[in-house]
Amino acid sequence: MGKSIRELMSSNPCAIEADKPVAYAAKMMKQEDVGLAPVVEGDRLIGTLTDRDIVVRVVAEGKDPEEVAVREVASTDVVTVDPQQDLADALQLMASKQVRRLPVVEDGRLVGVVAQADVAREADEQQTGQLVEDISQP
């Protein structure tokens, strides 16, 4: 494989400031057609927000998405990858952590996101199939 994460990642991901309301985040995620948004303070990654986080931690709890700040419901145990790492590293990390998207962080700053779809375009069919299987394990 040999490609670096920097070659595969989506640069300038649509990140959300931690103090924004969840309703704002949901609208932005819909507009950008993404299921994960990195949560930042300035350019520093502090967490991630997924569409599932919004459903489980806001809607299902009966909270008002206009009143809840993104930082209150974002996941802070974030698995990241460095842009210099190899595609094989991303595959292994996605499989072991069972995640479909990895924020790309350099010197603590968010510089991109690499997704399962990005990996699938570069990896061979067997690797992609194995990744999907590993991520989907209960």
Side-chain angles (χ1 to χ4, degrees):
M1 286 190 291
K3 288 210 173 190
S4 73
I5 298 303
R6 188 178 304 282
E7 295 173 85
L8 304 174
M9 71 182 193
S10 300
S11 299
N12 301 321
C14 78
I16 301 171
E17 282 290 331
D19 293 326
K20 292 284 189 187
V22 169
Y24 170 87
K27 289 172 190 167
M28 187 206 69
M29 291 168 72
K30 178 183 177 193
Q31 180 180 357
E32 297 292 327
D33 193 28
V34 295
L36 173 136
V39 179
V40 295
E41 284 182 337
D43 62 356
R44 296 283 192 211
L45 179 71
I46 65 160
T48 58
L49 183 71
T50 65
D51 44 12
R52 187 173 195 286
D53 292 332
I54 294 169
V55 170
V56 172
R57 298 178 184 161
V58 180
V59 177
E61 296 289 326
K63 297 177 181 173
D64 183 351
E66 294 288 351
E67 298 296 321
V68 177
V70 167
R71 78 169 59 253
E72 295 175 48
V73 295
S75 299
T76 56
D77 185 21
V78 182
V79 179
T80 64
V81 67
D82 184 277
Q84 307 308 323
Q85 286 181 271
D86 189 83
L87 172 59
D89 296 332
L91 280 168
Q92 184 178 20
L93 195 54
M94 287 176 164
S96 68
K97 299 295 183 178
Q98 292 188 300
V99 295
R100 290 175 172 77
R101 304 167 200 93
L102 293 170
V104 182
V105 176
E106 187 170 43
D107 299 323
R109 294 179 307 107
L110 177 68
V111 296
V113 171
V114 64
Q116 179 179 324
D118 301 322
V119 172
R121 280 192 290 276
E122 294 298 326
D124 64 39
E125 286 182 28
Q126 182 178 359
Q127 290 171 311
T128 301
Q130 186 63 53
L131 174 63
V132 171
E133 185 177 318
D134 290 345
I135 289 172
S136 302
Q137 293 293 322

